[in-house]
């Protein structure tokens, strides 16, 4: 006799949205009422209470000396950036467009940093004029910043983004180690640091970002230790003392069956140990952690209405007014190798015991427009609202809205 197979969990752990009168509650409002207040489906809703709670939870787990930055490419909705600007210590931007949103939101320019490959001269000028920190990524940027600093009479504030000689193991997306378009290779750092000194730029520190969407604390701790050791090594070549060290982030959230929430405790302990070491090895340097997805991903839902219920050769299809044109990631077409289901719920039948296997699809004329593939869901009818969880990051702004010419979605902070 063989041991019974462990049942596969049907979905990742759900974020703590309450249920009232058989409906999911988002931003304190029942889903059907929230939909009425938004005035249309599909929409994204981001829950302020959950955003606040997430930042508080993180603050409690990390040493108080570590600064927390929001990488706004995860969710650039101006109202979200405005809320986050008041909760975290700084905002990380990746374009002049994002810089504008961050400054409009009231972010303190001293705590805004600008990273990304291929920054255009006009973008660099905007950043220097705004007095934000530029995480420079090539020798070309050193030369341009020297020229711009002279033109504006403002020395550019710079850190160097380093392409490390290691990667973040087990990441959904690797962004450092090996040949990369991001940052300056470790081998080239002495030359670039000397050029920064010669150009008279205001050197402030190092930026290391090794990868994204990691659920393994031991891998994150290892990358932080290696980043720290590398920064100590590189500090010997720096034109002035290191004032801060951005250790990246990469904290993941559970999306798929079998995935668990990241345990923050070992990461907090690790950062505390590194901060203690830095007191003697990098005196005066502050640590920064930059997070996008981890801060906002679980606080957001995407909501679409069932337009048609079809049965095809025994399989139920819930055809909704939302799809991959608004939510590319949930369809599995934004960096996934094997398509898996995001957590999904029929939000207007949250307590119904009548369940069935159903696929949730969108209105696009392509089989890629799949939001849930044969999932166990409450039985839904035309008019019911389907909710895709874990949608607060890389949702609306990371989707091809123009594809097939369907109406736009709306985003609300609830
Ligand atoms: C995308 C990005 C982030 C945010 O990554 P998340 O996985 O959303 O936390 C942080 N820093 C840099 C440099 C990035 O490019």
């Amino acid at each position: 006799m063989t041991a019974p197979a462990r049942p596969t969990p049907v979905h990742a752990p759900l974020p703590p949205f309450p249920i009232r009168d058989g409906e999911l509650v988002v931003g304190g409002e029942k889903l059907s009422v929230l939909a009425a207040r938004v005035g249309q489906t599909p929409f994204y809703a981001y829950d302020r209470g959950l955003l606040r709670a997430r930042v508080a939870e993180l603050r409690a787990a990390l040493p108080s000396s570590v600064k927390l930055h929001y990488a706004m490419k995860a969710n650039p909705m101006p109202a979200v950036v405005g809320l986050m600007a008041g909760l975290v210590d700084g905002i990380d931007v990746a374009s002049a467009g994002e810089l504008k949103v961050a400054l409009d939101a009231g972010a303190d320019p001293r705590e805004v940093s600008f990273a990304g490959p291929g920054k255009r001269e006009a973008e660099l000028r905007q950043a220097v004029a705004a007095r934000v920190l530029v995480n420079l990524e090539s020798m070309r940027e050193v030369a341009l910043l020297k020229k711009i600093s002279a033109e504006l009479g403002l020395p550019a504030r710079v850190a160097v983004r380093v392409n490390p000689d290691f990667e973040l193991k087990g990441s959904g997306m690797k962004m450092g180690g090996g040949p990369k378009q991001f940052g300056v290779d470790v081998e080239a750092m002495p030359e670039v640091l000397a050029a920064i000194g010669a150009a008279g730029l205001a050197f402030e520190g190092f930026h290391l970002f090794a990868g994204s969407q990691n659920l393994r604390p031991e891998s994150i701790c290892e990358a932080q230790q290696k980043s720290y050791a590398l920064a100590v090594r590189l500090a010997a070549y720096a034109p002035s003392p290191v004032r801060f060290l951005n250790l990246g982030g990469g904290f993941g959230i559970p999306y798929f069956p079998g995935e668990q929430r990241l345990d923050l405790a070992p990461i907090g302990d690790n950062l505390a140990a590194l901060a203690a070491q830095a007191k003697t090895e990098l005196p005066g340097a502050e640590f920064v952690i930059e997070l996008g997805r981890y801060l906002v991903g679980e606080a957001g839902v995407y909501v679409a209405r069932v337009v048609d219920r079809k049965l095809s050769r025994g399989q139920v299809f819930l055809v909704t007014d939302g799809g991959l044109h608004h939510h590319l990631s949930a369809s599995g077409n934004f960096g996934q190798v094997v398509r898996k289901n995001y957590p999904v719920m029929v939000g207007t039948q949250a307590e119904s015991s009548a369940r069935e296997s159903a696929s949730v699809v969108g209105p696009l004329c392509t089989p890629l427009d799949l939001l849930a593939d044969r999932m166990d869901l409450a039985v839904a009818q035309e008019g019911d609202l389907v909710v895709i969880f874990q949608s607060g990051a890389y949702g609306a702004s990371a989707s091809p809205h123009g594809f097939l010419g369907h109406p736009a979605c709306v985003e609300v902070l609830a």
Side-chain angles (χ1 to χ4, degrees), residues 70-75 92-94 115-117 135 137 161 173 175 182 207-209 211-214 246 248-252 290-296 393-394:
Y70 173 48
M72 64 170 277
K73 83 166 186 282
N75 188 329
D92 292 336
V93 305
N135 290 333
E137 315 214 6
R161 179 170 182 181
M173 211 174 273
M175 291 182 65
F182 307 111
H207 174 218
L208 287 111
F209 182 75
S212 182
Q213 180 49 22
N214 200 303
N246 184 332
F251 299 13
E290 56 176 16
L291 300 171
R293 183 192 317 268
Y294 190 82
L295 291 175
V296 295
Y394 305 107

Side-chain angles (χ1 to χ4, degrees), residues 266-400:
I267 300 173
D269 292 346
N270 187 59
L271 285 171
L274 292 177
Q277 253 178 280
K279 284 213 167 82
T280 51
E281 293 174 337
L282 287 177
E286 282 181 321
F287 286 176
V288 178
I289 293 289
E290 56 176 16
L291 300 171
R293 183 192 317 268
Y294 190 82
L295 291 175
V296 295
E298 297 201 66
V301 291
Y302 176 65
V303 181
R305 198 176 290 280
V306 177
V307 172
D308 201 353
R309 179 190 161 87
K310 295 178 72 171
L311 193 64
S312 169
R313 308 213 158 100
Q315 193 181 329
V316 176
F317 288 89
L318 303 173
V319 187
T320 68
D321 56 7
L324 81 72
H325 53 313
H326 302 150
H327 204 332
L328 191 66
S329 335
S331 76
N333 295 294
F334 188 69
Q336 279 187 49
V337 182
V338 180
R339 192 199 172 283
K340 295 180 200 155
N341 290 326
Y342 272 42
V344 172
M345 177 191 268
V346 181
T348 40
Q349 306 290 343
E351 288 173 320
S352 165
S353 55
R355 300 187 69 89
E356 65 184 357
S357 167
S359 292
V360 178
V361 300
L364 304 192
C365 222
T366 160
L368 297 177
D369 194 7
L370 180 60
L371 295 175
D373 185 18
R374 288 161 294 171
M375 267 184 100
D376 175 58
L377 295 172
V379 174
Q381 305 298 337
E382 241 177 82
D384 272 318
L385 298 172
V386 174
V387 174
I388 319 275
F389 292 101
Q390 311 299 68
S391 296
Y394 305 107
S397 70
S399 299

Side-chain angles (χ1 to χ4, degrees), residues 18-258:
I19 287 170
R20 197 192 310 148
D21 305 336
E23 287 195 34
L24 194 75
V25 171
V26 177
E29 202 69 90
K30 279 197 312 193
L31 198 61
S32 58
V33 178
L34 180 62
R37 107 96 147 127
V38 174
Q40 73 156 72
T41 51
F43 63 90
Y44 280 91
Y46 313 116
D47 187 307
R48 291 172 209 269
L50 291 186
L51 289 168
R52 288 202 181 94
R54 176 50 65 104
V55 173
E57 181 195 350
L58 207 52
R59 296 265 196 212
L62 304 185
S64 57
S65 63
V66 173
K67 288 197 162 170
L68 186 58
H69 279 201
Y70 173 48
M72 64 170 277
K73 83 166 186 282
N75 188 329
M77 183 202 183
V80 168
V81 178
L83 177 69
M84 296 307 287
L87 296 175
V88 299
D89 304 305
I91 305 282
D92 292 336
V93 305
S95 68
E98 288 192 353
L99 175 62
K100 178 185 187 301
V101 174
L103 296 174
D104 286 350
D108 179 352
R110 284 172 300 184
E111 301 291 346
V112 171
S113 57
F114 177 19
K119 299 180 196 74
R120 285 170 287 116
E121 181 172 341
E123 290 183 294
L124 289 170
R125 186 172 290 105
Q126 287 172 269
V128 176
R131 296 172 168 79
V132 304
L133 182 77
V134 176
N135 290 333
L136 65 78
E137 315 214 6
S138 72
M139 206 55 125
R140 166 188 163 270
E141 291 183 359
V142 177
L144 278 174
L145 288 168
K146 179 182 176 188
K147 177 180 144 212
I148 292 166
S149 298
E151 279 169 17
L152 296 178
L154 289 171
R157 298 175 51 214
V158 300
V160 188
R161 179 170 182 181
V162 186
N163 177 24
D165 40 11
F166 57 86
E167 50 187 38
L168 178 50
K169 288 180 196 144
S171 280
M173 211 174 273
K174 294 196 167 70
M175 291 182 65
K180 287 282 180 305
Q181 73 267 50
F182 307 111
V184 173
D185 291 350
V186 171
E187 306 82 283
M189 283 297 290
E191 191 194 344
V192 170
L193 288 167
I196 289 171
L201 307 181
F203 171 83
E204 296 192 5
F206 298 113
H207 174 218
L208 287 111
F209 182 75
S212 182
Q213 180 49 22
N214 200 303
L215 289 168
R216 287 159 38 181
E218 63 284 3
S219 302
I220 291 173
C221 292
E222 187 189 317
Q224 288 173 344
Q225 286 158 13
K226 287 182 172 169
S227 298
Y228 171 77
L230 179 56
V232 170
R233 234 185 329 133
L234 292 174
Y237 299 92
S240 55
V242 175
R243 291 184 41 201
F244 82 88
L245 175 56
N246 184 332
L247 288 169
F251 299 13
I253 61 172
Y255 286 101
F256 307 122

